[in-house]
Amino acid sequence: RFQRRVRACRYDIDQFTPNFLSIFDSLVPSEEEIAKQNQLVIALSRLINKEWPNSKLYLYGSCANSFGFSNSDIDLCLSIDDKEMSKVDIILKLADILQAGNLQNIQALTRARVPIVKLMDPDTGLSCDICVNNLLAVVNTKLLRDYAQIDQRLRQLAFIVKHWAKSRRVNETYQGTLSSYSYVIMCIHLLQLRRILPCLQEMEATCYVTVDDNHYAYFDQVDKLSNYGAHNNETLSSLLWAFFHYWAYQHDYTQDVISIRTGKIISKHMKDWTRRVGNDRHLICIEDPFETSHDLGRVVDKFSIKILREEFERAANILQYDPNPSVKLFEPY
Ligand code: CTP
Ligand code: MG
């Protein structure tokens, strides 16, 4: 049986918070960079609207969910209602429009799981990926951004976790490790369990969206929740400690699914995620908040689960014992 080892947080963990906060500050994009991104979105929208007046270009992913580092690529989603054209046709035509608009390095990836067009804007040097009609991603982007506004510790924690995951090379879905989106959800879940964040999807809904005939709703008046976590005064470094200890020693990989939709841990059994079906192995179970049949851990296989868990343990042990954890944690793999 899986043994749950629980250690007490080291008594001096809080002394490292200023170091982690300065790492956070160094990763946050500047106002200037954000303004540049917005300008590019406006310019691309104009160009695309000339051809498709009823289309709309949305920013999603890290540039819009408030968990983006400086210099990250821009994720865009083109919403277009054209019954005549397939997604692949739209992607190919979009590539032509961008070519004519003097954008560079244009590539239409029509055979990817999510077909996209890649481009680089020579004026700003920014790179973008544009997908088509993936509106659920726009909705989950807003959910993440709304959570980030409730308590600043979420953004700080998720930045450090993402920075760790990138340094240790466990943020590569094509290698069987987890997406940035998954790591942010894991951070939200931890803070929900510690009552630093509420569960917005369990509260009375104030925001409603319909995507492909499915209805989604949650409470989005987050400015009313700015004191929600104030009773809990844990600092960034003790939350980081808790994050890695949870995933190294406390999470029950055989039984549990984390769910920010419910703010709880639910059982694999209840979701029928107890065995492998096709490529879904359910070795680490993270429920998508909207596509609830979607296990964000489905990319993880029997090799990468070992790597992931070893990295969680390494990080937990550094935070427990290392005299200078804010250096060792991010040592390149
Ligand atoms: N997304 C999703 N389902 C996934 C993975 C991603 O819906 N399984 C969507 C989410 O809207 C997410 C966006 O795609 O915000 C981008 O995902 P990802 O690249 O994981 O995150 P970023 O926030 O863009 O992080 P990074 O800084 O690493 O680019
Ligand atoms: Mg991204």
Side-chain angles (χ1 to χ4, degrees):
R1 263 197 80 102
F2 184 73
Q3 212 189 337
R4 291 172 187 235
R5 276 184 281 166
V6 183
R7 291 197 186 94
C9 186
R10 67 197 261 180
Y11 71 92
D12 61 343
I13 188 81
D14 291 336
Q15 68 167 316
F16 303 113
T17 290
N19 299 8
F20 284 118
L21 282 175
S22 59
I23 293 170
F24 165 76
D25 288 336
S26 71
L27 297 167
V28 170
S30 65
E31 296 286 331
E32 192 191 348
E33 193 183 334
I34 292 168
K36 247 200 227 171
Q37 291 171 351
N38 290 332
Q39 271 166 22
L40 177 59
V41 177
I42 292 170
L44 290 173
S45 298
R46 283 207 188 111
L47 180 67
I48 298 170
N49 274 326
K50 273 193 218 150
E51 191 66 39
W52 281 309
N54 295 323
S55 70
K56 189 165 162 46
L57 197 61
Y58 292 95
L59 193 59
Y60 77 102
S62 61
C63 292
N65 65 16
S66 74
F67 296 99
F69 291 1
S70 139
N71 302 317
S72 50
D73 287 357
I74 303 177
D75 297 307
L76 293 168
C77 171
L78 180 68
S79 161
I80 175 169
D81 186 14
D82 187 331
K83 303 264 180 312
E84 320 276 87
M85 286 177 93
S86 70
K87 219 177 229 190
V88 168
D89 291 341
I90 295 172
I91 290 279
L92 292 172
K93 181 159 171 190
L94 180 58
D96 288 341
I97 296 170
L98 297 167
Q99 197 84 54
N102 284 328
L103 290 139
Q104 290 179 358
N105 303 357
I106 297 165
Q107 280 178 284
L109 307 182
T110 52
R111 282 195 277 185
R113 190 178 62 84
V114 178
I116 54 169
V117 183
K118 288 183 156 299
L119 66 95
M120 199 272 286
D121 171 43
D123 294 340
T124 56
L126 295 171
S127 296
C128 297
D129 291 349
I130 309 182
C131 67
V132 174
N133 292 340
N134 183 11
L135 287 174
L136 211 45
V138 178
V139 180
N140 68 35
T141 292
K142 174 172 154 55
L143 180 73
L144 266 47
R145 185 178 60 233
D146 286 338
Y147 271 116
Q149 280 178 34
I150 301 172
D151 195 296
Q152 60 175 358
R153 287 171 289 183
L154 170 62
R155 195 166 171 240
Q156 296 165 351
L157 176 68
F159 263 65
I160 299 295
V161 169
K162 272 179 66 173
H163 182 44
W164 161 82
K166 288 176 194 290
S167 313
R168 302 299 300 170
R169 302 192 51 194
V170 285
N171 176 215
E172 299 177 347
T173 47
Y174 53 91
Q175 301 276 19
T177 56
L178 298 169
S179 64
S180 296
Y181 177 61
S182 307
Y183 284 114
V184 175
I185 298 226
M186 289 154 79
C187 293
I188 293 174
H189 190 255
L190 180 90
L191 300 192
Q192 284 179 331
L193 294 185
R194 302 176 101 74
R195 302 281 177 267
I196 293 175
L197 291 177
C199 174
L200 296 176
Q201 289 171 276
E202 291 271 285
M203 296 170 66
E204 197 170 337
T206 52
C207 142
Y208 301 84
V209 257
T210 301
V211 177
D212 300 330
D213 296 329
N214 295 312
H215 305 291
Y216 305 99
Y218 70 91
F219 183 83
D220 76 337
Q221 296 177 0
V222 286
D223 49 324
K224 295 188 180 150
L225 297 173
S226 52
N227 276 322
Y228 185 90
H231 65 95
N232 176 318
N233 56 17
E234 283 175 285
T235 68
L236 174 57
S237 41
S238 80
L239 292 169
L240 257 183
W241 182 97
F243 179 90
F244 287 114
H245 275 259
Y246 176 76
W247 288 101
Y249 302 119
Q250 290 167 284
H251 181 72
D252 185 343
Y253 288 81
T254 61
Q255 314 259 3
D256 292 347
V257 177
I258 66 153
S259 159
I260 66 162
R261 172 182 60 95
T262 60
K264 296 193 175 91
I265 289 168
I266 55 183
S267 76
K268 282 198 196 184
H269 191 73
M270 208 168 85
K271 299 206 60 105
D272 201 18
W273 283 359
T274 49
R275 67 210 136 75
R276 176 173 174 176
V277 177
N279 265 339
D280 288 16
R281 296 172 180 84
H282 305 302
L283 299 174
I284 174 171
C285 294
I286 303 161
E287 182 193 60
D288 185 89
F290 296 117
E291 275 188 293
T292 56
S293 63
H294 189 163
D295 177 4
L296 299 172
R298 67 179 181 178
V299 290
V300 176
D301 60 35
K302 65 179 178 190
F303 302 108
S304 58
I305 187 69
K306 248 189 103 214
I307 295 170
L308 260 179
R309 293 185 63 173
E310 278 167 17
E311 286 296 332
F312 289 140
E313 283 180 36
R314 173 186 179 273
N317 292 338
I318 289 171
L319 288 163
Q320 184 77 24
Y321 300 113
D322 197 273
N324 207 349
S326 57
V327 173
K328 192 73 179 278
L329 198 61
F330 310 108
E331 251 170 28
Y333 176 76

